[in-house]
Amino acid sequence: MDDRGPEPNLQQIGAPEILDALADGAYITNRNRKIVFWSRAAERITGWSAAEVVGHSCSDNLLVHTDKDGHQLCGFEHCPLHRAISTGQMSSEPVLVFAQHKHGHRVPVEVSVAPLRDKDGNTLGGVEIFRDLTDAVQDLRRAKVIQEHALASDCLQTRG
């Protein structure tokens, strides 16, 4: 007897159930980047509930993705999701962006994007998966401070 329980029936599990099971945030848009699905982890990471974002464009002053220099990415030219939908190509590697939390602070996230296609290969929209990097960025900032203090201490010792 197998004590692992029944095998999951993949025909009974849909994309929402799969995406909601992930620790990373996920959302799906149509071709015009109107959000049609928002995962539970996306809610946890950003503070925005599915009810608040579904039906809105990702550029409707919700996430307001910026790069590390503060340049807004939510237009057409620099948006990773728009690029994936337009070119039909998934991101080759994750990109660091900063999403706006519902309460206004920035959340560093690692973003991967891909177009969503129908069975004939036509692009229907896109999916973005994002991982909260808050802890990793805080660790890097602490390491930088420690490094700066160590360098300053070395400079003082070599002068003395």
Side-chain angles (χ1 to χ4, degrees):
M1 183 166 139
D2 187 356
D3 62 356
R4 292 179 294 169
E7 294 292 322
N9 180 339
L10 295 180
Q11 281 69 34
Q12 295 175 330
I13 302 172
E17 290 80 15
I18 294 168
L19 293 172
D20 273 339
L22 300 175
D24 295 340
Y27 69 95
I28 297 172
T29 70
N30 65 15
R31 286 189 55 80
N32 296 320
R33 293 184 295 158
K34 184 168 137 185
I35 298 169
V36 298
F37 174 81
W38 189 255
S39 74
R40 288 186 188 125
E43 291 180 341
R44 178 180 43 78
I45 294 167
T46 68
W48 296 101
S49 71
E52 292 171 305
V53 298
V54 170
H56 292 276
S57 172
C58 53
S59 63
D60 283 348
N61 202 27
L62 294 169
L63 295 179
V64 193
H65 285 148
T66 60
D67 65 14
K68 65 179 177 53
D69 298 317
H71 300 115
Q72 190 168 342
L73 303 177
C74 289
F76 291 100
E77 186 177 346
H78 302 292
C79 175
L81 187 58
H82 173 72
R83 190 175 318 122
I85 293 169
S86 297
T87 65
Q89 299 295 312
M90 70 175 72
S91 54
S92 57
E93 59 186 50
V95 177
L96 172 65
V97 302
F98 294 84
Q100 180 173 283
H101 190 276
K102 181 179 179 177
H103 299 300
H105 63 276
R106 290 286 173 190
V107 180
V109 293
E110 183 180 68
V111 169
S112 295
V113 295
L116 291 177
R117 296 185 181 94
D118 64 15
K119 63 181 174 160
D120 297 323
N122 301 308
T123 301
L124 302 174
V127 60
E128 179 174 306
I129 306 293
F130 56 98
R131 173 171 290 154
D132 186 351
L133 294 181
T134 299
D135 292 340
V137 168
Q138 287 174 347
D139 289 345
L140 288 172
R141 287 182 181 144
R142 278 192 289 274
K144 182 179 177 184
V145 168
I146 292 168
Q147 184 179 39
E148 288 170 351
H149 285 313
L151 289 172
S153 182
D154 284 347
C155 288
L156 290 174
Q157 287 179 1
T158 54
R159 286 189 210 166

